Amino acid sequence: MYLRELQDMAAEGVHVASSQELAQRTGFSSEQIRKDLAYFGAFGTRGVGYDTSLLEAEIRRILGLQRGVKVALVGAGNLGTALTRYSQQEHKDVRISVVFDADPAKVGQEIEGLRILPAAEMGRVIREMAIKVAVLAVPGEVAQAVLDELMDAGIEAVLNFSPVKLRARPGVTVQNIDLTMELQSLVYYTSEAKGTEEEAILPDAAAKGGQDGRL
Amino acid sequence: MYLRELQDMAAEGVHVASSQELAQRTGFSSEQIRKDLAYFGAFGTRGVGYDTSLLEAEIRRILGLQRGVKVALVGAGNLGTALTRYSQQEHKDVRISVVFDADPAKVGQEIEGLRILPAAEMGRVIREMAIKVAVLAVPGEVAQAVLDELMDAGIEAVLNFSPVKLRARPGVTVQNIDLTMELQSLVYYTSEAKGTEEEAILPDAAAKGGQDGRL
DNA sequence: ATTTGTGAATTACTTCACAGCA
DNA sequence: TGCTGTGAAGTAATTCACAAAT
């Protein structure tokens, strides 16, 4: 979130930002921001604030976004296509660089200039391209099998859109995004649910605009 | 997450579950599960466990999922199409019931049997259908304007896919899902980032398989 | 004069451990 | 005997408040 904010500020021509300003823009407290940043190093100047372009560079370095990171997409459905479009246009830090699909009808077609490759070539290509991050946008039934293949191919982090609990080996991170669950949770914040639950005052994580590790 | 687990158990013919069993299946601790559930009421039987179908019904009631909840989708791009497909097939608790798009070329086309309606009719239709939940899958530039219209039409909860900080009125919940951010964060859990950051031992929220308020 | 970086205080969350029930 | 529901204990996260720095 800081990274996006800093990019916006750069576009606006702002060169220095105090934790107070960042607080206003992000909705977090200024102390929180200082703690977050100080955890990784002393990036600010006392009495002045943070140099936005320097801080942006530091966050890029911390996240590992220095040079363009290549991502593999498995599953070229609507969701996969949407993700590919997103990743190609906006920034070029992280980019979907290969797309795989099991459906022979899709293989050979193009998404944003990327040719869809057959599932059979997945392991080899990922290894050859030394890709470490993958997006899993396949049906739940095959998700675990695909993940196993991806891990064999050296994938270290996966963004999983299938509504299935995946078993990952130690050292492999799986981040889940469950669209059905998100939709269901939303209803809770609606008058339909509130009417039923008298005392349901939950911490409003939702209001803050955070991702909480979700997409 | 509990709801999904309970549905799976029902499909397997399991009628009673202890917090211990739920713990194994979800990855949370059994105490956590008991605390979570006890917050909303005493749904279990001491010495036995939780009746799965009763607990499922309770969670449905808590979330407000009793009868089919109608959801409006704004933006019929790839992402919107993917979401509509998801919501139509699996469960019918929450369902995308209307689709709007500003593009005249898309208006009149169908997604999963739903005719795409013009943006101009959005407010009226949402009011008439008494829809309270909306999914925002529009370009960032127009997201705030669309949200304003949605709030005027009585929308109370929004799932936002545009990478923009939205200003919502009190009483309106906005849940953000930022695909670009998710992809960027993933890289951190990769050897590319780990090599750079010596001491970066973060709480592994990612490993738990949680949504953290994210989709 | 202003803002960072950070220990100390506070608040929130999780785990422990057990009384209360079936 | 077995498992829930829940105060108490322990751990983690956030906020306070101020010395250090420019």
Side-chain angles (χ1 to χ4, degrees), chain B:
Chain B
M1 295 178 75
Y2 296 148
L3 187 55
R4 186 173 325 263
E5 214 53 61
L6 290 164
Q7 279 162 191
D8 287 358
M9 289 176 128
E12 292 167 23
V14 181
H15 291 121
V16 172
S18 67
S19 59
Q20 196 61 240
E21 289 175 275
L22 285 166
Q24 281 204 303
R25 297 183 67 126
T26 59
F28 300 126
S29 73
S30 62
E31 306 93 319
Q32 186 66 70
I33 290 169
R34 293 203 300 281
K35 273 264 153 80
D36 285 352
L37 299 176
Y39 178 85
F40 292 104
F43 305 137
T45 308
R46 292 173 190 225
V48 179
Y50 300 91
D51 180 291
T52 52
S53 69
L54 184 134
L55 187 54
E56 188 183 324
E58 289 289 354
I59 292 178
R60 274 233 170 62
R61 183 184 57 73
I62 292 164
L63 293 177
L65 300 177
Q66 296 102 315
R67 45 196 172 281
V69 176
K70 286 171 289 185
V71 173
L73 167 68
V74 190
N78 285 109
L79 187 58
T81 304
L83 274 165
T84 307
R85 297 243 164 94
Y86 264 102
S87 87
Q88 302 299 80
Q89 64 189 213
E90 261 190 275
H91 317 293
K92 49 222 163 196
D93 295 333
V94 177
R95 246 206 185 161
I96 289 174
S97 303
V98 238
V99 180
F100 301 97
D101 202 291
D103 183 354
K106 280 186 183 151
V107 171
Q109 288 186 357
E110 287 197 356
I111 304 176
E112 297 281 303
L114 288 173
R115 186 176 300 278
I116 299 173
L117 303 180
E121 294 188 25
M122 192 172 72
R124 184 180 58 76
V125 173
I126 286 175
R127 247 186 303 266
E128 282 177 11
M129 294 180 78
I131 292 178
K132 299 298 170 202
V133 180
V135 175
L136 209 53
V138 301
E141 300 83 45
V142 298
Q144 182 65 57
V146 173
L147 175 62
D148 290 341
E149 258 199 87
L150 289 171
M151 293 190 293
D152 284 341
I155 289 289
E156 295 172 349
V158 174
L159 192 57
N160 171 42
F161 285 89
S162 74
V164 170
K165 260 168 305 303
L166 296 175
R167 213 164 288 277
R169 311 197 182 118
V172 177
T173 303
V174 175
Q175 192 81 261
N176 298 292
I177 293 179
D178 186 330
L179 297 164
T180 303
M181 198 178 291
E182 292 294 331
L183 271 180
Q184 289 180 337
S185 324
L186 259 194
V187 180
Y188 180 77
Y189 297 99
T190 279
S191 51
E192 313 210 8
K194 274 169 199 150
T196 316
E197 282 305 312
E198 320 270 324
E199 281 296 325
I201 296 149
L202 291 188
D204 56 350
K208 285 221 168 173
Q211 302 316 107
D212 313 329
R214 13 293 108 1
L215 162 115

